[in-house]
Amino acid sequence: MINQYKTVDASRISISELMQPSHSNFGGKIHGGYILNLMDQIAFACASKHSETYCVTASVDTVDFLQPIEIGELVTMKASVNYVGKTSMVVGIRVESEDIRTGKVKHCNSSYFTMVAKDDSGNPIPVPGLILNDKTEVKRFLKAIKRKETKKHRQEEFNSETFSLENYIEDLKQYNVKIDLPENF
């Protein structure tokens, strides 16, 4: 590790790509899987630039497809490191598409990729800390901490020995589901 701390700007990445018919799904819109592939690539580039080493995707959080992307639109992805731990980084990604004929830009997706820095043997290695230079960067760091805490609590609840069907069965009545269990479940 060369630097102990780096600014968010030091590893910020932006890419743009014109959407082709080969990227579309059967509905004529750009396939979500193709967009996720591009997002994984930019997350890797951003995390690797920050850590100065190879990185792998550990998890993807909050992938919401907000607007469809059309064939012929210019898609731009912006990525920055929002949070760093000991060996991991959370890379925030914003996806926008632009109708190049009208100039209209729409926000299509935002997501958070947790990336882990690895050495040549595949072992996690420490990453530089993060220098936060403005309120937006501090806010993103704090939100990443909150998402991490929420995820940890959710995992603890669902993995707990005390998690039981009986504790949640009543909650299912509000959903479009019919429960047809044997008497002695």
Side-chain angles (χ1 to χ4, degrees), residues 6-185:
K6 288 185 169 184
T7 63
V8 172
D9 283 342
S11 57
R12 194 178 307 271
I13 301 247
S14 179
I15 61 170
S16 295
E17 184 174 329
L18 185 64
M19 294 295 103
Q20 306 284 330
S22 61
H23 304 141
S24 66
N25 60 24
F26 292 114
K29 308 296 182 194
I30 300 305
H31 197 283
Y34 183 74
I35 297 300
L36 283 171
N37 179 47
L38 292 176
M39 292 172 74
D40 193 47
Q41 290 178 42
I42 195 171
F44 168 82
C46 184
S48 293
K49 191 172 180 183
H50 181 81
S51 65
E52 299 176 10
T53 190
Y54 180 75
C55 294
V56 297
T57 306
S59 70
V60 180
D61 190 20
T62 316
V63 179
D64 294 319
F65 293 96
L66 306 172
Q67 299 283 328
I69 300 171
E70 305 291 336
I71 295 167
E73 290 184 332
L74 182 67
V75 168
T76 300
M77 296 187 182
K78 301 171 187 175
S80 62
V81 176
N82 290 354
Y83 168 87
V84 295
K86 292 178 185 154
T87 63
S88 67
M89 299 148 280
V90 174
V91 176
I93 303 169
R94 180 179 175 92
V95 179
E96 296 176 339
S97 70
E98 178 182 356
D99 182 326
I100 56 177
R101 293 169 290 152
T102 66
K104 182 181 177 190
V105 176
K106 59 187 175 186
H107 177 206
C108 299
N109 188 323
S110 288
S111 190
Y112 306 96
F113 281 59
T114 300
M115 308 297 290
V116 177
K118 299 282 188 163
D119 65 15
D120 291 339
S121 300
N123 299 310
I125 58 172
V127 298
L130 202 55
I131 299 170
L132 306 175
N133 284 321
D134 62 38
K135 287 182 179 181
T136 299
E137 292 172 359
V138 172
K139 187 168 116 177
R140 288 176 178 164
F141 194 92
L142 290 169
K143 285 183 173 184
I145 291 170
K146 195 65 176 165
R147 278 192 308 277
K148 186 176 176 179
E149 290 171 356
T150 300
K151 184 177 180 179
K152 180 182 176 188
H153 292 307
R154 188 176 63 233
Q155 286 173 333
E156 287 172 355
E157 177 185 6
F158 293 151
N159 294 337
S160 169
E161 298 273 334
T162 61
F163 185 88
S164 72
L165 184 63
E166 292 82 14
N167 293 343
Y168 295 92
I169 199 81
E170 285 298 313
D171 294 344
L172 293 176
K173 290 182 179 179
Q174 65 182 315
Y175 297 97
N176 186 19
V177 63
K178 179 180 177 184
I179 302 169
D180 190 14
L181 297 171
E183 284 295 316
N184 297 326
F185 72 89

